[in-house]
Amino acid sequence: MEAYLLDFGNLLIRWLHVIAAIAWLGESIYFVMLDNGLKPPKGEGCKKKGVFGEMWAVHGGGFYHNQKYASSPEDLPEDLHWSFWKAYTTWLSGFGLFTLLYLTKPSFYLVNRNSPWEWAANMTGTQANIAALAFLLLGWVIYNELCKRISPNMTRDGILSVAVAVMMVVVAYLSTHIFSGRAAFLLTGAVMATAMSANVFFWIIPGQRRMVNAMKAGEKPNPIDGLRGKQRSVHNTYFTLPVVLLMLSNHYAFTFTHSLSWVIMVLFIFAGALIRQYFVLMHGGKIRPGYPIAGVALILVAVWIGAPSAKKAVQAPAQTQSSAVATDSTDGTAVEAAGTVEAAEPAASGEVTLAQVETIMNSRCVECHAQAPTSEMFAAAPLGIVLDSQQEILLQADHIKQVVASKYMPLGNMTQMTDEERDMIAAWNGQ
């Protein structure tokens, strides 16, 4: 029941997170389009009122006339539309999901046992949680300091953009070396998402409030507030596509299980920013196809780097022996138990048989991937993948070979699948 309630809570928070993110990013993209698509007003009356730019649009059977004021309008209404709760809700629900899925089981989901850095590979669950939270906090602090120190008056934003790009390369490298693959991609996206939400909370909304208060008091707003808000909003729009992709990546093991996963991540980040740049310019009437072409080229490089290399088939051993593993009912961690696992007899030709693969699945995978999982971590089979029959194993053959070869599964290798068993699955022809 506990696993079921956790899964249901996961569903509800994820639903809220997706809805809030759609609302926030949609509104953000709309206002970037609106701001870049404004044209000088044609009417003298509008110019006299201080209208800086305007846009006419048609949607849903109606016509809209958007205007942007360079200074305070004559009558500033009390019921101004403010855009911030969508941003806060997106971050809070995302952090709630991260807490529910990762911080509650850090030994499985955060710790990178294959890290080349011994201290990272040997972190305890508590240490991994602290490291993850510190990673998010430091990501925001460093990004914010770059903005304040490099372009405090918004006059060196080009140099700042290069500095932020370098920062993201470093973040990608560190995350994949400190944390497990899936968590690394998620945390890198979370660093950007945290910066986006913090930009709204610490800079954009406070600056807008100061401007509004000044206008209501009949004073001239400080132009630096508007410039800084624009700077941070522009950063947010370039973070958008990379963040969405990194949040989706946890469903695709080929992205985060590769030895050069940080390079793949960086290529995706830059590709997303380049593609977004095309649309930003397009809203201003500038068509620059070189940006999406460059973005697609980077994605193709990522495809080339991540492509699985052909492996030489191996002969199936007559049997493999390893320690069987049980799950400690108190904290869900894997513990060694007495006993051995024997694989089915190989075929006369030496080829790996379906029966042998089924034996491995029953020993290492069915604890979670079954119609009725015995693992206390899951109320239902993860991703709906069931492996407790030969028919189901055949349906998932390609997926099994991929995630086992990359060592993404079993998760954290909590059931202690051996290298010999992985070799057998790699040599299996999927029939």
Side-chain angles (χ1 to χ4, degrees), residues 121-144:
N122 294 324
M123 280 194 298
T124 65
T126 300
Q127 291 170 337
N129 280 345
I130 294 173
L133 295 175
F135 200 77
L136 291 179
L137 178 60
L138 287 175
W140 156 248
V141 170
I142 294 172
Y143 160 77
N144 193 48

Side-chain angles (χ1 to χ4, degrees), residues 216-259:
K216 288 181 177 180
E219 301 171 357
K220 186 177 180 180
N222 187 346
I224 203 73
D225 283 326
L227 292 173
R228 184 177 290 114
K230 179 67 180 281
Q231 177 197 65
R232 300 302 179 103
S233 292
V234 168
H235 288 180
N236 282 5
T237 202
Y238 289 118
F239 282 155
T240 299
L241 297 189
V243 166
V244 172
L245 185 137
L246 292 175
M247 296 307 177
L248 294 175
S249 67
N250 63 85
H251 296 287
Y252 303 96
F254 63 83
T255 61
F256 53 78
T257 56
H258 196 276
S259 59

Side-chain angles (χ1 to χ4, degrees), residues 32-165:
V32 169
M33 179 277 296
L34 177 61
D35 205 45
N36 289 343
L38 292 173
K39 296 181 179 179
K42 296 179 179 180
E44 288 300 322
C46 291
K47 294 179 181 178
K48 290 180 180 179
K49 291 190 296 183
V51 174
F52 169 78
E54 62 181 357
M55 173 188 284
W56 283 89
V58 58
H59 180 75
F63 297 93
Y64 298 82
H65 185 201
N66 296 295
Q67 296 178 318
K68 179 178 180 178
Y69 288 79
S71 58
S72 175
E74 293 180 2
D75 297 312
L76 189 64
E78 293 293 335
D79 57 343
L80 281 171
H81 173 77
W82 294 83
S83 299
F84 53 85
W85 277 116
K86 303 177 188 70
Y88 305 159
T89 303
T90 300
W91 190 88
L92 289 171
S93 58
F95 186 76
L97 274 176
F98 181 67
T99 300
L100 187 65
L101 297 178
Y102 288 82
L103 298 185
T104 56
K105 297 181 177 67
S107 296
F108 290 126
Y109 293 111
L110 288 178
V111 179
N112 181 3
R113 300 301 179 193
N114 296 317
S115 172
W117 300 339
E118 186 176 351
W119 66 268
N122 294 324
M123 280 194 298
T124 65
T126 300
Q127 291 170 337
N129 280 345
I130 294 173
L133 295 175
F135 200 77
L136 291 179
L137 178 60
L138 287 175
W140 156 248
V141 170
I142 294 172
Y143 160 77
N144 193 48
E145 287 299 314
L146 288 175
C147 293
K148 292 194 298 182
R149 295 176 184 275
I150 294 177
S151 188
N153 297 317
M154 280 55 71
T155 56
R156 304 171 68 194
D157 282 358
I159 299 174
L160 174 60
S161 297
V162 174
V164 173

